[in-house]
Amino acid sequence: MRVVIALGGNALLKRGEAMTADVQRHNIKIAAEAIAPLVAEHEVVITHGNGPQVGLLALQGAAYKPDEAYPLDVLGAETEGMIGYMLEQELGNLLPFEVPLATLLTMVEVDGTDPGFQNPTKFVGPVYEADEAAKIHQEKGWTFKEDGNKWRRVVPSPVPKRIFEIRPIRWLLDKKTVVICAGGGGIPTMYERGAERKLGGVEAVIDKDLCSELLARELEADLFIMATDAEAVYTGWGTADQKAIFKTPPEDLSAYSFPAGSMGPKVEAACHFAKVTGHSAAIGALADIAAIVRAERGTIIDSSFAKMTWHG
């Protein structure tokens, strides 16, 4: 079975944790321990978030003059290499030596007319108190929005149109390689308007879940998993009536509304994958990945299900 696993940002750096290499490596080791047992029986492709890492690099770059700061597409490429390196190393420490691993820098095409450029929604970087966020807005012109009871920087998040490296990813899978790719939603790129066909980077961050869904679809994956810090998708989250959804057809799940900054994109991506491919998508906790593959934990979305059922 071919499985695409999208690691949420919280799988790599939990909210409020120090953004140090040691903390990230510790979390990546936990992710590797959850994923490694699947490799013996399945083809595995791993994607990951990079919001906190890109935000950190942007803050480091802010120490330079404005015209010397690196753009978001370059920072995205840097984080793909950094996180991929750690994932490869931690998985390699658990898997047999002969199992090949590869991280692929992945460029993704977006449309310059995408409405996401007019309404920045993608959270990047650390959280701030309101007064600190206001000060940074005045100094750097960054846009901030509320994230829970804190504030975070937001940047444009256009819809992914095409994954340029899809053929090399397929070639690696044909050689039984564990592939790490499309990190952070891929590196946002766009063709410049005009007669000359010239590709360039874009000041944006593509939604990881939407890009991972496109990847899973183009790879004809049998199962698309989005691993997060929640055990399942809940109705009535945060209320006395909250219930964890176990199995559901995509149409039933699409009838509910979920937060745009967290579970919303995951549900959208899962439902689209299940509808278009006829295969299963799943959302659940990183620690439950093995059980999710067996359809025992998490929220499983599949068009073959007659109706929505709940855990417990």
Side-chain angles (χ1 to χ4, degrees):
M1 184 165 67
R2 181 169 290 179
V3 183
V4 172
I5 302 171
L7 298 176
N10 285 330
L12 305 177
L13 194 66
K14 296 178 177 60
R15 186 182 180 92
E17 285 186 328
M19 290 193 289
T20 65
D22 286 344
V23 169
Q24 292 182 70
R25 183 173 289 279
H26 171 75
N27 290 335
I28 285 172
K29 183 177 180 180
I30 294 172
E33 289 170 346
I35 294 170
L38 303 178
V39 174
E41 298 181 15
H42 307 289
E43 294 181 353
V44 176
V45 180
I46 303 168
T47 72
H48 58 79
N50 70 344
Q53 291 82 3
V54 164
L56 176 62
L57 291 177
L59 282 174
Q60 292 173 345
Y64 298 94
K65 297 177 182 178
D67 59 346
E68 295 176 344
Y70 282 87
L72 285 173
D73 61 301
V74 175
L75 300 183
E78 290 183 19
T79 61
E80 281 195 350
M82 174 184 70
I83 296 170
Y85 159 68
M86 290 186 178
L87 277 167
E88 276 195 48
Q89 202 166 72
E90 294 303 328
L91 281 167
N93 288 335
L94 298 169
L95 295 171
F97 180 78
E98 61 271 16
V99 175
L101 298 136
T103 298
L104 203 63
L105 287 176
T106 313
M107 294 189 297
V108 176
E109 184 181 4
V110 300
D111 188 340
T113 63
D114 190 295
F117 287 107
Q118 307 304 318
N119 180 31
T121 58
K122 185 67 176 175
F123 288 116
V124 298
V127 295
Y128 298 94
E129 299 295 340
D131 56 347
E132 190 177 9
K135 180 181 177 182
I136 296 174
H137 170 72
Q138 290 295 324
E139 293 175 350
K140 306 183 187 305
W142 290 357
T143 301
F144 286 84
K145 290 186 178 180
E146 283 187 280
D147 183 13
N149 61 348
K150 304 288 185 178
W151 292 77
R152 287 180 75 189
R153 183 189 179 191
V154 289
V155 299
S157 182
V159 174
K161 292 177 56 182
R162 171 168 46 177
I163 298 170
F164 285 103
E165 285 78 14
I166 196 69
R167 288 182 299 163
I169 294 168
R170 291 193 187 110
W171 298 337
L172 288 166
L173 287 173
D174 288 343
K175 296 298 182 181
K176 308 302 179 185
T177 305
V178 177
V179 183
I180 303 160
C181 61
I187 304 163
T189 58
M190 183 173 62
Y191 284 107
E192 294 181 5
R193 294 184 179 181
E196 185 179 357
R197 193 171 173 82
K198 184 179 179 182
L199 190 68
V202 181
E203 190 75 353
V205 173
I206 300 168
D207 183 86
K208 166 190 57 62
D209 296 316
L210 298 184
C211 183
S212 298
E213 187 275 332
L214 175 61
L215 175 71
R217 195 162 14 101
E218 295 201 349
L219 291 177
E220 299 179 331
D222 300 289
L223 176 60
F224 170 41
I225 300 174
M226 284 166 281
T228 181
D229 57 348
E231 295 179 353
V233 179
Y234 285 79
T235 60
W237 173 255
T239 71
D241 298 323
Q242 71 177 34
K243 293 192 295 184
I245 301 168
F246 181 27
K247 295 182 178 180
T248 178
E251 294 78 12
D252 286 9
L253 190 58
S254 296
Y256 289 88
S257 178
F258 299 94
S262 54
M263 193 57 76
K266 292 176 172 55
V267 168
E268 178 185 350
C271 290
H272 188 260
F273 179 81
K275 287 178 183 177
V276 172
T277 68
H279 295 161
S280 295
I283 301 171
L286 175 64
D288 293 336
I289 280 183
I292 291 171
V293 171
R294 298 191 300 268
E296 296 172 354
R297 299 296 299 271
T299 296
I300 315 298
I301 303 97
D302 194 297
S303 294
S304 67
F305 297 146
K307 62 179 182 178
M308 182 181 289
T309 60
W310 285 264
H311 283 281

